[in-house]
Amino acid sequence: MKTYLPLSLCLLAGMLLLPACSDDEPAISPLPEKTYTGNAALKLEYNDAPMSGKSVTYTQSGNTANLVMNSTVSLEELSAALKGLPAIPGPGVLPGTPLLTLPVNLHADGGKYKFEGSGETDYVTYRYSGDVNADVLDFEFEDVLLKNQRLANTVWVPAPTEKETEGIGYKSLPLHIVWECSLPPILEDFDGTIQDALILMATLPIIPVYNNTAYMSLVQAIGSALKTVAFRPDGNAVVTYLQTNNGSAQFAQAPICMIQYLPLTDNILKLYINPTDLMGQILINSSSHPDLPANPFGKAAKKVTRAYVGNTATGDNTATESSATEGSSPSIQDMMQIISKLAPMLSEGIPMQYDLTQTSLQLYLNTETLLPLLQGVIVPLLEDPIIQASIIEKISANPSLSGYLPVIKALVAAFPQLLSTTTRIELGFNLTAYKP
């Protein structure tokens, strides 16, 4: 018996150790550094809503990893007219944070590394969880909450279009329009103010609908197309709008994470637009609506042809540019100038002023934001003769606008002078509280 006892004890000990060994996770190799992007490799959620167009760079060191989250926008992929333009930074994964670096603790589980925790930025608090392997990174932001809740849980609709009961003008419009400036000599005969001219343009039926058989005004389009704007506590602004689909129309909700907002003070906020979601909504509508172009950015710029006349031997040549045709667009140099002015707003947010009461919300670009943009972007475009000719061509073809062509030409010519004397300019939306 003494001969068999040690062997029996060894077998018993081995049997007792087997369950303990089976509970241990097999070791997995550290993952190489990788940038996860696209819907297949990156599954990113924000309070249960999917986020698109983002990138996460994963760098592991032992049982910890750094996740660097951001987005970039490839302009070349948006339109052939933008070919050659560099990618630009896009909005981040959290409002107010274009680039988020998040250190996480890892533990192996089922051939993946899992992680969870909580964090905060200057503007939001959140929890997170996720897992990662060599092919897919799955990340969820949970319980995201803005620290400034001034606009949270409010719902708004466009203000109605209502004329003054006596006299001319409007006492209510869905568009917020203010422009205070001096009229240059070229507009001395103009009856009214520049603000009056803008309101006139917004209320004239100039937008062709129903295959060019009727026209509607900009304020009518806003009033009929925009149903509600809701501000969630997590920083998402949810828009419900009229979506067209195969010739029919129904109200639909834009993607939850398409528009995010961040109140900075009691009257200044920033808006963040996700270009991936925005392009998706444009394509959903334009692919089925006869009044929208197949390419939402329009046709690529056509080359300007120059005809030379005169005596080539003596060098007495006169170059004449052909008239602009439909589809003319800014040159690559113009686009670079526009992007240099607008690109920072994509990642850093569009600064907006808001005036809030219990029953109304005015949300608009104020003078400090709008005036430099008009001077740096619109003025150079209006100086381009091809763009001028294209504007005039479109106005001439519109029966609602053709009668105003002389005034519009004068406005285009005087635009730089108008801006130089501008003391206040505001453009945006007037909203009223939603009533179920």
Side-chain angles (χ1 to χ4, degrees), residues 66-104:
N66 267 347
L67 305 180
V68 179
M69 305 182 176
N70 66 337
S71 74
T72 56
V73 180
S74 175
L75 299 173
E76 289 185 328
E77 295 178 1
L78 298 181
S79 171
L82 304 179
K83 187 174 182 180
L85 295 180
I88 59 176
V93 293
L94 296 173
T97 307
L99 184 71
L100 177 67
T101 300
L102 183 64
V104 298

Side-chain angles (χ1 to χ4, degrees), residues 118 259 358:
S118 60
I259 303 174
Q358 288 186 339

Side-chain angles (χ1 to χ4, degrees), residues 275-296:
T276 304
D277 287 339
L278 180 61
M279 278 299 302
Q281 296 303 295
I282 292 174
L283 292 173
I284 286 172
N285 287 272
S286 66
S287 61
S288 59
H289 197 287
D291 295 325
L292 294 175
N295 178 356

Side-chain angles (χ1 to χ4, degrees), residues 40-61:
L42 178 61
K43 301 183 184 303
L44 184 63
E45 290 190 352
Y46 187 107
N47 283 3
D48 297 325
M51 295 191 84
S52 62
K54 311 299 182 184
S55 298
V56 179
T57 299
Y58 175 93
T59 307
Q60 183 174 346
S61 176

Side-chain angles (χ1 to χ4, degrees), residues 201-217:
M201 295 292 293
T203 54
L204 277 176
I206 61 176
I207 303 174
V209 293
Y210 303 114
N211 293 320
N212 296 320
T213 59
Y215 292 84
M216 70 181 347
S217 68

Side-chain angles (χ1 to χ4, degrees), residues 178-233:
V178 176
W179 195 347
E180 298 174 0
C181 64
S182 300
L183 291 179
I186 193 173
L187 291 172
E188 285 180 347
D189 295 333
F190 178 64
D191 185 17
T193 66
I194 297 303
Q195 180 171 312
D196 294 333
L198 283 183
I199 292 175
L200 176 64
M201 295 292 293
T203 54
L204 277 176
I206 61 176
I207 303 174
V209 293
Y210 303 114
N211 293 320
N212 296 320
T213 59
Y215 292 84
M216 70 181 347
S217 68
L218 181 57
V219 295
Q220 286 175 321
I222 293 172
S224 60
L226 180 61
K227 185 177 182 182
T228 59
V229 179
F231 293 94
R232 298 193 348 171

Side-chain angles (χ1 to χ4, degrees), residues 1 25 91 101 129 157 167 170 331 352 360 386 394 402 407 420 424 427:
M1 293 295 293
E25 284 292 335
T101 300
S129 63
V157 298
Y170 294 84
S331 66
M352 306 281 288
S360 67
I386 297 178
K394 291 181 183 297
S402 57
V407 174
S420 66
R424 183 185 175 197
L427 292 176

